[in-house]
Amino acid sequence: MATAAELTLPVTGMTCAACVARVERAIAGVPGVAGVSVNLATKSARVTFDPDSATTAAVVAAVRGAGYGVETEKLAAEIDGVFCASCVQKVEAGMRAAPGVVSAAVNVATGGVLVEAVTGAVTMEALRAAAARAGDYRLISPAGADTAPGETREVRETRELGRLRRELIGAGVLAALVFVVGMPDLFPFVLRVPAGVRNIAAFALTTPIMFWAGLRFFRGFWSALRHRTADMNTLVAVGTGAAYALSTVATFAPHALPHGAGDGHVYFDTSAMIIALVLLGKYLEQRATRKASQAVRRLADLAPKRALVVRQGAEVEVPVSEVVPGDTVLVRPGEGIPVDGTVLSGASAVDESMITGESVPVDKGPGDEVTGGSINATGAFSFRATRTGRETVLAHIIRMVEEAQGSKAPIQRLADRVAAVFVPVVFGIAILTLAAWLLFGPDGPRLAPALLSFVSVLVIACPCAMGLATPTAIIVGTGRGADMGIFIKGGEVLETAHRLTTVVLDKTGTLTRGQMSVTDIVPAAGTNEADLLSTAASAERGSEHPIAAAIVSEAVRRGLAVGRAEAFEALPGKGVRATVAGATVLVGTAQFLGESGVAVPDGADAALASAGRTPLLVARAGRFLGAVGVADTLRPEARAAVADLRSMGLSVVMLTGDRERIARAVAKEAGVDRVIAEVLPTGKVAAVEELQKAGEVVAMVGDGINDAPALARADVGIAIGTGTDVAAETSDVTLIRADLTGVPKAIRLSRATIRTIRQNLFWAFFYNVVGIPVAAGVLFPAFGVLLKPAFAALAMAFSSVSVVTNSLRLRRARL
């Protein structure tokens, strides 16, 4: 048994002694837990467990299963040395074994690591040590404390790509020369050189390829060997090393080999071509994955590096990192806005397209919010900084995208399970292939074809494509969403969203604008629209009610005179009474006007009411003037968005707390067939649950704040908002623009991404299922076909590049 691990869990939801008992029983029931003590006063549980048989994840799951929560935090970092799915498995397993770690996800495409840990229980040093124990993996903290000054991920990626390019060029040139030397039948001039000299020349040309250009594979092999594991490096190193070793012995000590073992041949060209082709695949793969993750780099590049602020009455240019909330920041025409804030003076149009996806510049004036990373157009203005550094909207967006790109979809679990045993199984197949050729091969020398088949199996089976299948698609998919102002929290959300059957739309603020406006003006005989609206607006001018504001706003918009009301009186549930220009004006219900002695025509409000409007009847000096209809109007894109959702085979439901009559009128206008009305906020959760119980996979679309419980309960919560709502914690998908068309786009994006992941996984598995037997020589008895190791390396490189290229198609998918 390993040294017992101790862990303190911050437990939420405990309110009594009974809660303490339930939590203690739940934790004590986890195999491997040696002791548990729960403290109600500190809301914590102290757990002692055997790390060989219990994990933090199991303990946390037990607490959550008992109905309580555990406070966790997310730690992001980068890692060097991860090349394939097997590497990912080792690093993740090593980190999950560290006390305090709930889950760990390593992204082979970006080199990113995302760890969920119990709050305050894990340090970056502990994670770094866990990665080192798993192999020669180097964890790099996001703060960059362990990197060179000014070094960023992009700098390291550029440096690594340059190094890979140099190694590829060197290996390619030398491998071409080895090919010429080793193929005298194709290059007759080489025949004039004695065979022994040719072999020595091939050895001299291949050695730098093996131990300079291919050194990374041998280092990786040695690291895996020391940690008693195996990965892609093991396959390449053993395969090329075996061919190189046999050829070296055949060149300098042929008598040491069994008679006729090599038939006088050497296989330096095999080793050289494999290294060169694997490097080519890695180079193309890295270039493609850099394209896949461009979204985060583009977002990071949005924020200016310096800002012009007012300090002690003087304008001073400082690094953006030195701007603090409360500073007055000046922005000149054409400059980027460095941080979030509120405009103090001046006006301009601001391009927010890179953040919101909206191409039309937005007018900004005093009191308006501006977002760091957006671009000022022609005007100049000053604003007060409200959020800086990691608190800005842009910083939140970047973290959301990075976390999404570092996440895993459940569909990847199959690939992960296969990767955990893949390399050992391949080694077993390679050894069986070697033995089969040596024992049952055709008459004549058997060692050479046995060795070539052994090498081919090892090389063709490198699990690069398997490791890249899911993360590259998620990176491109979430990046494409970010470009459109659609922020998806991760692979699990993408996978759930593609299975949706029902979309539930909140009415106010989602289907509708969320503010009242005048929809109808119906004057009585002898009155015109202008007189009716001007009279109503004059009376309502003294009211702060949203309906009154809508009437006054419409009159101002039309340029009508709005008089000043005297003796204003509001009568709740009835209307208002005011004196305008010496005449008594009434605005309200038919009953109110009737009680005040006004003769109201029968059904004066019926048409407006049946259409879902709020009818306001107007009278002046005892004479009925007509009716004004007010309503929270549909968003201009609502009907098209609903039609789009229905065309995708989705059921659309409108959920609202409004009265049934108004709700059905709005639903009819939007094209929604099913309505659930007069529902309280708590009832919205119950409505979502009822749909789920009926077997529906439900998306809830709301504003991310008022609908938070329902958003959290739905299978996928979609929050529609503005830049200030982008970090809505309850939503799985956030649409930074208040635009309903983003909902069908987000669902289409999820479908396209999952479809791409399935294509990638099919190709990766199919490639290995077909390639490994062919490399082992199953076609040789019937057709005399034996796959050469160089072609195996080319096929392996092609499989990885094809997976990444297929994922990149998502950047152009029609949504």
Side-chain angles (χ1 to χ4, degrees):
M1 176 176 171
T3 304
E6 289 191 351
L7 181 66
T8 299
L9 302 177
V11 181
T12 60
M14 293 193 302
T15 58
C16 61
C19 299
V20 170
R22 282 195 289 269
V23 172
E24 284 183 341
R25 283 197 302 271
I27 296 176
V30 177
V33 170
V36 55
S37 173
V38 181
N39 190 317
L40 181 60
T42 61
K43 299 290 192 297
S44 64
R46 189 172 183 82
V47 185
T48 305
F49 61 93
D50 174 12
D52 287 340
S53 54
T55 62
T56 301
V59 175
V60 170
V63 175
R64 290 172 174 169
Y68 302 93
V70 176
E71 292 181 10
T72 62
E73 60 184 340
K74 288 185 177 179
L75 304 173
E78 298 164 23
I79 193 164
D80 281 343
V82 172
F83 299 106
C84 65
S86 298
C87 301
V88 169
Q89 281 286 307
K90 287 188 291 184
V91 175
E92 289 180 347
M95 288 188 173
R96 284 195 298 266
V101 174
V102 179
S103 65
V106 177
N107 192 315
V108 70
T110 63
V113 180
L114 186 63
V115 174
E116 182 187 6
V118 174
T119 301
V122 178
T123 64
M124 195 59 67
E125 284 301 322
L127 294 179
R128 189 175 288 110
R133 285 194 298 271
D136 285 345
Y137 304 109
R138 176 171 169 258
L139 202 66
I140 303 169
S141 63
D146 46 5
T147 59
E151 187 175 74
T152 62
R153 176 191 291 186
E154 188 170 2
V155 169
R156 291 195 301 277
E157 287 179 350
T158 302
R159 185 177 63 236
E160 172 61 19
L161 199 61
R163 176 186 166 197
L164 196 54
R165 186 188 300 112
R166 291 191 298 273
E167 292 172 355
L168 172 60
I169 292 172
V173 171
L174 293 173
L177 294 175
V178 174
F179 181 77
V180 171
V181 171
M183 295 291 176
D185 294 339
L186 296 179
F187 305 97
F189 66 89
V190 179
L191 284 171
R192 294 195 291 269
V193 181
V197 176
R198 290 201 305 270
N199 291 348
I200 292 173
F203 167 80
L205 292 169
T206 303
T207 299
I209 298 176
M210 296 290 291
F211 303 110
W212 168 65
L215 184 61
R216 63 178 65 222
F217 304 115
F218 290 94
R219 281 178 173 165
F221 165 59
W222 176 245
S223 171
L225 192 63
R226 284 193 297 110
H227 291 87
R228 299 178 182 178
T229 59
D231 56 21
M232 182 205 80
N233 296 303
T234 308
L235 300 179
V236 175
V238 171
T240 58
Y244 177 82
L246 177 66
S247 301
T248 301
V249 173
T251 299
F252 296 103
H255 55 276
L257 294 173
H259 178 68
D263 200 24
H265 290 97
V266 294
Y267 303 97
F268 289 117
D269 57 334
T270 295
S271 298
M273 293 297 290
I274 287 174
I275 294 291
L277 288 169
V278 172
L279 286 173
L280 174 63
K282 292 293 293 179
Y283 177 73
L284 295 175
E285 174 191 307
Q286 284 201 18
R287 284 193 59 183
T289 52
R290 284 193 76 188
K291 288 182 180 179
S293 56
Q294 279 179 349
V296 171
R297 278 195 290 271
R298 283 199 301 269
L299 287 169
D301 288 341
L302 287 178
K305 302 300 182 283
R306 301 187 70 80
L308 187 63
V309 300
V310 178
R311 298 270 172 88
Q312 297 178 344
E315 296 180 6
V316 183
E317 190 175 86
V318 299
V320 169
S321 59
E322 295 181 9
V323 179
V324 296
D327 273 343
T328 297
V329 184
L330 307 179
V331 184
R332 293 170 293 209
E335 291 183 340
I337 298 172
V339 296
D340 298 355
T342 304
V343 176
L344 296 173
S345 63
S348 183
V350 175
D351 180 1
E352 298 179 334
S353 59
M354 277 300 292
I355 297 175
T356 65
E358 175 58 68
S359 58
V360 179
V362 181
D363 291 332
K364 300 289 184 179
D368 289 333
E369 299 287 327
V370 290
T371 305
S374 51
I375 306 298
N376 183 28
T378 55
F381 60 89
S382 66
F383 69 92
R384 183 179 64 256
T386 55
R387 290 181 295 270
T388 62
R390 291 176 59 82
E391 300 306 315
T392 64
V393 169
L394 181 60
H396 279 298
I397 290 173
I398 291 173
R399 284 199 297 276
M400 286 174 65
V401 176
E402 286 181 332
E403 289 180 5
Q405 294 187 341
S407 67
K408 289 190 175 185
I411 196 173
Q412 191 174 344
R413 290 170 188 157
L414 173 62
D416 288 345
R417 287 197 295 269
V418 172
V421 298
F422 185 77
V423 174
V425 167
V426 168
F427 254 108
I429 294 173
I431 291 171
L432 288 175
T433 298
L434 180 67
W437 274 94
L438 290 175
L439 294 174
F440 309 110
D443 295 336
R446 295 177 178 177
L447 181 58
L451 177 68
L452 293 178
S453 297
F454 172 78
V455 173
S456 293
V457 169
L458 292 179
V459 172
I460 203 169
C462 286
C464 298
M466 201 181 305
L468 291 166
T470 300
T472 52
I474 290 176
I475 287 170
V476 180
T478 53
R480 174 75 186 279
D483 287 341
M484 298 187 297
I486 301 170
F487 297 95
I488 301 168
K489 284 194 175 176
E492 189 167 354
V493 175
L494 281 168
E495 187 159 344
T496 304
H498 100 282
R499 295 187 291 106
L500 290 172
T501 58
T502 298
V503 176
V504 177
L505 300 170
D506 175 53
K507 183 182 80 71
T508 305
T510 301
L511 267 173
T512 63
R513 295 177 184 271
Q515 59 186 29
M516 305 300 284
S517 59
V518 173
T519 57
D520 304 87
I521 301 174
V522 186
T527 306
N528 56 44
E529 288 189 2
D531 184 31
L532 172 60
L533 183 60
S534 176
T535 300
S538 298
E540 294 279 14
R541 184 174 179 179
S543 174
E544 296 180 354
H545 194 281
I547 290 179
I551 293 174
V552 173
S553 176
E554 180 65 16
V556 171
R557 188 185 71 81
R558 296 189 178 203
L560 302 178
V562 180
R564 183 171 298 278
E566 298 174 359
F568 175 84
E569 181 184 7
L571 294 90
K574 295 183 176 182
V576 300
R577 179 186 288 113
T579 301
V580 178
T584 299
V585 175
L586 305 175
V587 181
T589 65
Q591 181 182 358
F592 171 51
L593 268 65
E595 291 173 350
S596 302
V598 178
V600 178
D602 292 338
D605 57 355
L608 292 176
S610 64
R613 316 304 193 204
T614 298
L616 298 173
L617 306 187
V618 183
R620 182 176 58 207
R623 175 173 171 264
F624 178 67
L625 298 183
V628 177
V630 179
D632 181 8
T633 57
L634 278 181
R635 293 183 183 276
E637 77 284 358
R639 190 171 185 85
V642 170
D644 201 0
L645 290 169
R646 295 179 64 178
S647 73
M648 296 165 64
L650 296 165
S651 172
V652 182
V653 178
M654 190 181 82
L655 188 61
T656 180
D658 276 357
R659 294 189 300 275
E660 183 87 16
R661 176 176 52 79
I662 294 176
R664 291 204 173 277
V666 172
K668 182 179 180 181
E669 187 179 356
V672 177
D673 291 332
R674 188 173 177 186
V675 178
I676 303 175
E678 300 181 26
V679 178
L680 296 174
T682 53
K684 291 184 178 182
V685 175
V688 170
E689 290 175 341
E690 284 300 314
L691 290 169
Q692 291 170 326
K693 288 175 183 176
E696 302 291 335
V697 182
V698 181
M700 174 68 196
V701 185
D703 63 12
I705 299 172
N706 298 329
D707 301 303
L711 286 169
R713 185 64 187 87
D715 297 288
V716 176
I718 303 177
I720 295 184
T722 61
T724 55
D725 301 322
V726 72
E729 292 298 328
T730 52
S731 65
D732 301 302
V733 179
T734 301
L735 308 181
I736 200 168
R737 273 196 298 148
D739 185 346
L740 263 181
T741 59
V743 176
K745 287 179 181 177
I747 297 172
R748 280 200 181 91
L749 179 61
S750 74
R751 291 180 176 182
T753 303
I754 297 302
R755 184 167 58 247
T756 300
I757 289 174
R758 286 175 172 166
Q759 291 168 351
N760 289 348
L761 287 173
F762 171 80
W763 169 248
F765 285 128
F766 177 78
Y767 158 82
N768 280 294
V769 167
V770 172
I772 290 176
V774 172
V778 296
L779 298 180
F780 186 82
F783 304 102
V785 174
L786 188 61
L787 185 67
K788 292 184 178 180
F791 289 114
L794 185 63
M796 185 271 287
F798 173 74
S799 70
S800 298
V801 174
S802 65
V803 161
V804 179
T805 303
N806 188 47
S807 296
L808 286 172
R809 292 192 307 115
L810 283 169
R811 297 167 73 190
R812 299 182 299 275
R814 294 187 63 183
L815 303 176

